[in-house]
Amino acid sequence: MHFSRYHISDSIKKSLEEHGFIKPTDIQFKAIPSILKGEDVLAVAQTGTGKTAAFAIPAMERLLSSGRRAEPSQVRCLVMVPTRELASQIESVFKKFGAHTGLKIVSTYGGVDQNPQTNGLNKGVDVLISTPGRMFDLRNQGFLDLSVVEILVLDEADQMLAPGFIRDIRDAIKHIPGRRQTLFFSATINEEIKDLAYSLVRNAIRIQISPKDRVSKNVNHQVAFIEMDDKRFFLERLIKEQAEERILVFVRTKVRAERVQAAMARVGIEAGIIHGGRDQAERMEVLDKFRNASAAVLIATDVSARGIDIPGVRYVVNYDLPDEAENYVHRVGRTGRGMEKGFAISFCATEEKPQLEEIEEFLGKPVTHLSINRDDYQMSLALSEKPKADWKDLIEQAKNELGIGLAQAGKVKQKSKTKKSQKK
Ligand code: ADP
Ligand code: MG
């Protein structure tokens, strides 16, 4: 089934075509018809499978067909998200597919001047994508009116319904009409959160696509046992050997992010960092730089990277294992998005083995162990020596298993030759 055969407006179809969206992904195939019918939907589908378009396309279609208009300050479709970056990213997806629809699409989030945002809301908007904090600020100041919301979307729904946000969501729902359509989207959801989601909607929820494998098949993910103090040498080596790739490195805390950045700087590797402690303009700038550079390294914490869609991230490195097992899925899911394939490697120190066990329990299966023999391990610590087998070999091996193109492998080989010749 092609998008061209869907019962959706030509204005949306035109944009889909312009952006090379020809066939729906599984979640789009299953969710779009139900949403078009007005049903409440809880959709659970793996990372990178196109959940954003799965709600954005039918939501916009419903807004177009209902034909209502937003009065000043009113919002017709409210999309709530956990982070500022995600608000901005989802805004651009709506704008991409809504370019010819005439729908007014705005995002609001904290950390930046609110004046441009209030100007955007002045005449009313069709779609507002917002983090809860800024949304309530704007509502309390009278800039935002939720009384005619027709569609409520919670993206990263499990996070939005978890203790940090649930009160905000309940509060928001108080101001939104009961006769609304509610859509929940996430890559991970547990029974408790599912029950909570059910309790927030009037109609029975219609859809659940629960993948057997929680990690997308496009992600080859492995774990290597590396002691805490040695991690930076391994990271250095991986980055230097994959100098032409876009690499996303996850660490546990803001402080760790800064430290790893400094350690990399000492060995000549420039890496951006993104975490909650940085101001918003800076975060956006770092993210854009990472998105636009052909090769780059970005160090991130969990909070700042949920849902982020950056095409071409070839490697995810879990420099530290995540504290929450489900965050493993969200982290490794930053690679292998859409039709791409990617590689994720976790550095597990002895003291992190209990976390690994939790992750494996959550996944329902063990994570493949990348074996590094003693000699290789020692050689990684002494980078000046020419290693026998190294990350490159191990990664090439994994790439071959994954079927990532030979052209790519060739490129890497060639590069290592130039490196050698430079050394001489
Ligand atoms: P999710 O929210 O499920 O993690 P996203 O909505 O961020 O995934 O989409 C992941 C990537 O897949 C995006 O870069 C998007 O442009 C691409 N994508 C989504 N749907 C399609 C499709 N039908 N055809 C081609 N690419 C798609
Ligand atoms: Mg998403």
Side-chain angles (χ1 to χ4, degrees):
M1 176 85 162
H2 284 195
F3 280 122
S4 57
R5 295 181 52 196
Y6 273 69
H7 293 288
I8 48 176
S9 307
D10 287 342
S11 57
I12 297 179
K13 282 187 186 168
K14 189 173 169 194
S15 299
L16 286 167
E17 210 179 300
E18 282 168 4
H19 292 283
F21 274 45
I22 296 157
K23 281 169 85 174
T25 62
D26 287 350
I27 182 65
Q28 290 160 4
F29 181 75
K30 293 200 174 138
I32 290 174
S34 290
I35 299 175
L36 287 176
K37 274 190 246 161
E39 292 173 344
D40 290 334
V41 167
L42 167 71
V44 183
Q46 293 170 331
T47 56
T49 54
K51 291 188 287 295
T52 320
F55 60 77
I57 295 168
M60 287 195 286
E61 177 60 25
R62 290 206 31 101
L63 294 175
L64 290 173
S65 62
S66 95
R68 296 195 193 95
R69 284 183 64 110
E71 299 294 324
S73 306
Q74 291 184 337
V75 175
R76 298 176 61 208
C77 170
L78 173 64
V79 183
M80 294 181 77
V81 296
T83 68
R84 301 154 182 186
E85 286 77 8
L86 200 49
S88 156
Q89 177 182 301
I90 293 178
E91 175 192 13
S92 60
V93 174
F94 269 93
K95 285 191 165 157
K96 194 159 108 174
F97 298 124
H100 306 294
T101 60
L103 292 171
K104 182 148 188 229
I105 298 151
V106 165
S107 73
T108 57
Y109 44 84
V112 293
D113 183 11
Q114 77 165 36
N115 287 339
Q117 299 179 349
T118 55
N119 290 342
L121 294 171
N122 262 344
K123 296 199 186 101
V125 298
D126 294 296
V127 183
L128 174 69
I129 303 106
S130 188
T131 53
R134 181 55 61 99
M135 193 190 79
F136 284 111
D137 283 352
L138 294 169
R139 206 195 88 83
N140 293 339
Q141 297 169 61
F143 292 114
L144 182 60
D145 173 355
L146 300 177
S147 67
V148 301
V149 170
E150 297 159 50
I151 307 171
L152 171 66
V153 184
L154 302 188
D155 192 27
E156 303 296 339
D158 59 328
Q159 196 179 359
M160 300 311 287
L161 297 174
F165 283 120
I166 182 65
R167 281 183 53 192
D168 288 342
I169 301 296
R170 287 193 194 281
D171 252 14
I173 285 177
K174 270 192 228 145
H175 304 290
I176 296 175
R179 276 178 61 85
R180 60 164 190 273
Q181 183 175 18
T182 311
L183 312 174
F184 303 94
F185 278 77
S186 185
T188 53
I189 209 141
N190 61 32
E191 287 303 316
E192 197 185 329
I193 298 281
K194 205 182 279 176
D195 290 345
L196 188 53
Y198 274 93
S199 76
L200 297 175
V201 294
R202 297 194 329 170
N203 303 328
I205 284 168
R206 296 301 167 121
I207 289 198
Q208 292 174 30
I209 297 176
S210 306
K212 250 195 276 130
D213 253 329
R214 291 180 192 257
V215 176
S216 155
K217 63 178 186 322
N218 289 351
V219 182
N220 177 314
H221 61 117
Q222 311 203 9
V223 59
F225 294 96
I226 299 171
E227 294 313 329
M228 220 33 113
D229 292 342
D230 301 337
K231 287 184 175 185
R232 60 202 160 100
F233 301 111
F234 281 87
L235 181 64
E236 174 191 350
R237 189 159 160 192
L238 187 144
I239 293 172
K240 286 187 172 163
E241 284 167 2
Q242 303 296 329
E244 284 164 29
E245 303 287 4
R246 202 170 288 154
I247 302 172
L248 183 56
V249 181
F250 282 102
V251 293
R252 213 163 27 80
T253 62
K254 297 174 199 171
V255 176
R256 292 276 286 170
E258 307 271 352
R259 278 203 197 133
V260 176
Q261 184 191 40
M264 291 304 107
R266 283 197 295 274
V267 293
I269 294 169
E270 191 196 337
I273 52 176
I274 177 167
H275 60 61
R278 289 280 166 115
D279 82 44
Q280 193 53 33
E282 212 179 346
R283 275 162 61 170
M284 291 291 193
E285 196 186 308
V286 168
L287 208 57
D288 278 347
K289 202 169 159 197
F290 184 63
R291 204 187 289 271
N292 297 327
S294 58
V297 181
L298 180 65
I299 302 167
T301 55
D302 287 307
V303 211
S304 51
R306 258 250 194 176
I308 290 301
D309 180 52
I310 298 180
V313 171
R314 177 77 88 176
Y315 296 95
V316 166
V317 179
N318 281 322
Y319 191 83
D320 298 318
L321 289 188
D323 287 334
E324 303 282 343
E326 70 241 34
N327 281 342
Y328 180 85
V329 170
H330 292 284
R331 285 176 174 195
V332 303
R334 293 319 102 204
T335 184
R337 302 184 65 75
M339 312 294 155
E340 296 176 357
K341 296 198 187 301
F343 187 85
I345 173 85
S346 300
F347 293 178
C348 178
T350 305
E351 58 266 45
E352 290 175 302
K353 284 190 176 163
Q355 276 149 268
L356 178 62
E357 268 168 36
E358 260 177 51
I359 290 165
E360 293 183 325
E361 196 177 314
F362 177 73
L363 300 178
K365 55 165 79 169
V367 178
T368 312
H369 293 182
L370 196 61
S371 50
I372 308 174
N373 72 36
R374 239 170 193 292
D375 290 350
D376 292 338
Y377 192 104
Q378 290 308 326
M379 274 186 232
S380 274
L381 304 184
L383 267 171
S384 51
E385 300 196 21
K386 173 81 187 82
K388 277 206 302 261
D390 54 22
W391 281 117
K392 193 165 64 230
D393 295 334
L394 294 166
I395 285 166
E396 282 312 318
Q397 211 177 314
K399 268 188 185 170
N400 289 339
E401 277 164 26
L402 206 66
I404 291 176
L406 283 173
Q408 183 68 32
K411 188 171 85 179
V412 175
K413 252 187 218 134
Q414 230 174 356
K415 188 191 71 196
S416 67
K417 259 186 218 151
T418 18
K419 246 195 206 160
K420 253 186 264 165
S421 55
Q422 274 166 357
K423 263 187 208 152
K424 283 177 199 164

